[in-house]
Amino acid sequence: MCGIVGYIGTQQAAPLILEGLTRLEHRGYDSAGVAVLGGSKESALRVAKKAGRVRDLTDDLPKRFSGKVGIGHTRWATHGPANDVNAHPHTDTKGDVAVVHNGIIDNASTLRAQLAEDGIDLTSDTDTEVLAHLIARSTAETLEARVAEALSAVDGTYGLAVVHADFPDRIVVARNGSPLLIGVGEKEMLVASDLAALIRHTTMVAHLEDGEIATLTAGGFTTYRADLTSTHRTATEVDVDPATYEAGEHESFMHKEMLEQPDAAERVLRGRLDERFGTAHLGGLPMDARETRAIKRVKILGCGSAYYVGQMGASLIEELARIPADAEAASEFRYRNPVIEPDTLYVAVSQSGETIDTLLAVQEIHRKGGRCIGLVNVVGSAIARECEGGIYLHAGPEVAVASTKALTNMFLGFALLALQLGRVRDLSISDGKRLIAALLELPEQIGQVLEREEEIGEIAQVLADAESLFFVGRVRGFPVAREGAQKFKEISYRHAEAYQTSELKHGPLALISGDVPSVAIVPQDELTDRNVGALHEIAARGGPLVVITHPDVDLGEIECRRLDVPRSERELDPILLTIPLQLLAYRAALHLGHDIDKPRNLAKSVTVE
């Protein structure tokens, strides 16, 4: 959630760090800061930090802020309000040590009390400040040893970077539950919590594992375990075009990423469809036909939009493979002491592959002997490395907080998984071929929906003026409604709730009025008549209606704003019904003048519980 950038080399550190922090703004933050090591001991460590945006920090940075070693941070508040004092980096009393930190120190209160008893005056409300004081108090001979000693007293999660005035030739970094990547340049090294901050400078990257510490110097890096024995980690080339991290001609990354969905959909399907046998080939799944047939249940784990698309995926798996399947919020999973069954296939879903709740759920499954595969977008991410196998989404970098193209590719990943599971079991070859034909048409159909942005935008302006909305759908349509409500609330800041259409008469109808619009998902399927009947109930109570439906659905005389989407096979309809909801949320937020890529209080990669 927070952003870390560090640099050591031959260039001035501050401009590079500030540029990197700007590229991490999508991760969510409320303050920013930077620390640099200069040339003389008297002014070796200089710190500047400020509540607000990176540009506010840049505007206030002292004119003379030189140094070729530095660390920077964008903070998303967990301990204490957003202000200049709580912003990172944090230093010790003498100002010799500076620390930036992502994560949460669970025993921070105990450590703060111990430091206060020893006469140390803590100036911030944060958990991070204790790290700076612990490192400063250590008498170990090396900075690596001082950091390791401090971390041995810490319970919790962290991705951190440390500079010290007495060790001006290095940055020491460490990871436990919060991502850190090391970038290897020419006579320079970088560290960041997200590839976006590195990609303009290097494509040679090493991922730190949990429990590792690393030393960065201008000439290279060394990695260690907690006991400082070497782990010999090496960097590898990442195949990413830096231009994908640019919005280009688009007014926001969300708009760019929505329009990229047809191409992204083609990528996730490419090479994975076997039209001859009506099946999918997923080389990342470590299961033969015998192991596949032994699966008795599928459990999908994700957070936010990944959870809702997991519900769509569970429906696909039950329909096509006839295996009981359900989705659960990963953030709740391990806290209910779940029963882990050896014949259950667990699926972890995450765009970033670093979502801490989902990662901890995967670790709980493994702790109890279960098997878990991943659906992730980021190659080499923590969840991808933790799982036995999985499906890479190939959506390309997604910068906007509100997920669009990654969500679409998650759905298609589930469709491929369901198709492969189904064909090993009882799905006929004709049904397999029917679904493959529909999958191949989806990219073009998604493009057809996106071409109607202006029409959808007119409806969005009407919805934006409402203070509260309902999104309703049944069976396949209910997860679509949940995702629609999620998108609308997170970027328009309007209250939006999702309900099963069948549940309206069991409570929510009491809130229907002329001031509360309903967005209804009404596909052409076995429940069309019942869905239309519910629309009559809403209309009879004066509730404004927007209906996302198919061209051949007869809505009768119901007064509504109607949006038709192309029909696919009924199992695949949910993703086409989801696309206009993305556009509705986007255009509503645009109408309201919100910062679409950086919705308040939210972050792209949630790396703290």
Side-chain angles (χ1 to χ4, degrees):
M1 298 167 79
C2 307
I4 288 176
V5 181
Y7 174 84
I8 182 168
T10 59
Q11 303 184 63
Q12 289 297 316
L16 289 170
I17 292 168
L18 291 168
E19 178 205 352
L21 293 178
T22 300
R23 294 181 177 279
L24 298 186
E25 288 186 322
H26 67 284
R27 293 173 68 93
Y29 72 98
D30 46 57
S31 60
V34 61
V36 297
L37 283 170
S40 66
K41 182 67 173 68
E42 289 74 23
S43 60
L45 182 61
R46 303 185 67 192
V47 176
K49 53 186 185 175
K50 188 175 182 64
R53 306 293 286 271
V54 174
R55 62 172 176 262
D56 299 322
L57 173 65
T58 303
D59 291 342
D60 281 6
L61 206 66
K63 292 183 178 180
R64 301 186 65 181
F65 201 74
S66 62
K68 297 180 181 179
V69 181
I71 54 177
H73 190 266
T74 52
R75 175 177 184 257
W76 189 85
T78 56
H79 292 71
N83 56 39
D84 294 354
V85 174
N86 287 331
H88 295 214
H90 288 284
T91 63
D92 67 311
T93 304
K94 292 182 179 180
D96 289 336
V97 178
V99 179
V100 293
H101 164 234
N102 294 349
I104 292 179
I105 305 303
D106 294 329
N107 61 336
S109 296
T110 301
L111 294 172
R112 287 175 67 92
Q114 292 172 357
L115 290 168
E117 286 179 7
D118 291 341
I120 293 176
D121 182 21
L122 288 94
T123 59
S124 77
D125 303 310
T126 69
D127 54 342
T128 302
E129 188 183 353
V130 302
L131 291 168
H133 292 292
L134 291 174
I135 294 167
R137 297 180 72 185
S138 173
T139 58
E141 292 184 0
T142 66
L143 182 55
E144 294 81 358
R146 295 184 188 190
V147 171
E149 182 181 327
L151 293 178
S152 68
V154 163
D155 296 326
T157 58
Y158 51 79
L160 60 89
V162 181
V163 291
H164 196 303
D166 292 342
F167 304 90
D169 65 336
R170 64 195 54 213
I171 302 172
V172 173
V173 302
R175 168 189 172 140
N176 185 49
S178 191
L180 276 183
L181 300 86
I182 297 170
V184 180
E186 184 68 30
K187 295 182 180 180
E188 61 184 7
M189 298 292 299
L190 302 98
V191 63
S193 51
D194 191 292
L195 183 61
L198 304 178
I199 198 63
R200 290 184 64 83
H201 304 285
T202 181
T203 56
M204 292 297 296
V205 172
H207 294 263
L208 280 189
E209 297 282 356
D210 281 351
E212 280 190 313
I213 297 172
T215 300
L216 281 62
T217 65
F221 72 97
T222 309
T223 57
Y224 313 91
R225 300 178 184 88
D227 62 3
L228 298 184
T229 57
S230 179
T231 56
H232 304 290
R233 192 159 303 285
T234 59
T236 56
E237 186 89 21
V238 292
D239 183 18
V240 177
D241 181 359
T244 59
Y245 286 96
E246 304 286 349
E249 63 185 12
H250 299 277
E251 54 206 338
S252 69
F253 277 101
M254 183 178 179
H255 189 254
K256 171 178 179 281
E257 289 157 8
M258 283 191 298
L259 297 185
E260 289 174 345
Q261 287 178 107
D263 290 339
E266 286 184 357
R267 283 197 301 273
V268 75
L269 297 174
R270 190 176 299 144
R272 288 169 161 171
L273 295 173
D274 184 340
E275 296 180 68
R276 179 183 178 189
F277 293 105
T279 189
H281 286 311
L282 298 171
L285 296 188
M287 299 181 296
D288 60 23
R290 186 182 299 274
E291 290 174 302
T292 299
R293 289 194 65 86
I295 295 169
K296 300 299 184 186
R297 183 180 301 276
V298 176
K299 167 74 75 173
I300 299 167
L301 301 168
C303 297
S305 291
Y307 167 40
Y308 302 141
V309 79
Q311 291 185 309
M312 301 180 201
S315 178
L316 275 167
I317 290 167
E318 284 205 340
E319 287 192 77
L320 300 182
R322 304 307 298 156
I323 304 173
D326 69 305
E328 182 175 344
S331 54
E332 296 291 296
F333 178 73
R334 70 192 184 105
Y335 290 106
R336 63 174 182 80
N337 192 22
V339 176
I340 304 300
E341 301 166 307
D343 52 7
T344 294
L345 177 65
Y346 296 88
V347 185
V349 193
S350 168
Q351 188 284 135
S352 68
E354 303 286 353
T355 308
I356 189 66
D357 293 303
T358 308
L359 177 60
L360 292 173
V362 173
Q363 292 171 347
E364 178 73 4
I365 291 165
H366 287 159
R367 193 175 294 115
K368 295 184 175 182
R371 175 176 53 183
C372 189
I373 65 170
L375 260 71
V376 299
N377 193 38
V378 179
V379 175
S381 57
I383 292 172
R385 298 196 306 273
E386 187 80 28
C387 289
E388 290 91 327
I391 304 168
Y392 279 119
L393 301 178
H394 300 301
E398 189 175 67
V399 175
V401 169
S403 181
T404 53
K405 64 178 181 176
L407 179 137
T408 293
N409 280 24
M410 287 173 188
F411 178 89
L412 295 176
F414 279 120
L416 293 169
L417 176 62
L419 181 58
Q420 180 167 311
L421 293 176
R423 286 292 292 122
V424 170
R425 298 169 72 89
D426 300 321
L427 187 71
S428 69
I429 189 170
S430 59
D431 273 333
K433 290 183 174 182
R434 169 180 66 85
L435 289 161
I436 286 176
L439 284 167
L440 292 171
E441 290 180 2
L442 273 177
E444 181 180 350
Q445 292 176 313
I446 291 170
Q448 292 170 10
V449 178
L450 293 170
E451 288 172 358
R452 301 177 63 189
E453 180 182 342
E454 292 306 314
E455 175 190 354
I456 294 170
E458 293 175 3
I459 298 172
Q461 290 187 28
V462 176
L463 295 180
D465 292 333
E467 293 296 328
S468 187
L469 303 89
F470 280 123
F471 286 73
V472 296
R474 291 193 72 168
V475 188
R476 300 182 197 94
F478 179 52
V480 176
R482 296 191 77 180
E483 169 58 18
Q486 169 93 347
K487 281 289 178 293
F488 209 88
K489 71 181 73 170
E490 67 183 346
I491 62 172
S492 77
Y493 312 149
R494 298 306 195 200
H495 173 249
E497 286 192 69
Y499 273 94
Q500 291 103 329
T501 312
S502 55
E503 285 291 296
L504 281 172
K505 57 184 173 293
H506 296 293
L509 272 180
L511 295 177
I512 294 296
S513 71
D515 297 324
V516 181
S518 296
V519 180
I521 312 303
V522 185
Q524 176 63 58
D525 61 13
E526 66 277 12
L527 291 170
T528 302
D529 290 343
R530 293 187 181 276
N531 275 322
V532 172
L535 300 187
H536 280 287
E537 294 175 356
I538 294 170
R541 289 156 179 82
L545 271 167
V546 173
V547 183
I548 315 295
T549 187
H550 289 134
D552 47 355
V553 170
D554 182 6
L555 299 180
E557 301 300 317
I558 296 173
E559 184 177 346
C560 66
R561 295 175 181 270
R562 175 174 180 152
L563 283 171
D564 289 342
V565 301
R567 283 207 66 186
S568 182
E569 295 297 332
R570 65 181 184 277
E571 298 94 340
L572 304 178
D573 278 333
I575 198 58
L576 288 170
L577 293 163
T578 299
I579 305 299
L581 299 179
Q582 298 173 354
L583 287 165
L584 279 175
Y586 169 76
R587 291 300 293 257
L590 193 67
H591 174 69
L592 292 167
H594 296 323
D595 191 343
I596 292 169
D597 288 335
K598 308 176 191 70
R600 67 190 184 200
N601 304 329
L602 299 179
K604 182 64 178 174
S605 180
V606 183
T607 56
V608 297
E609 286 194 271

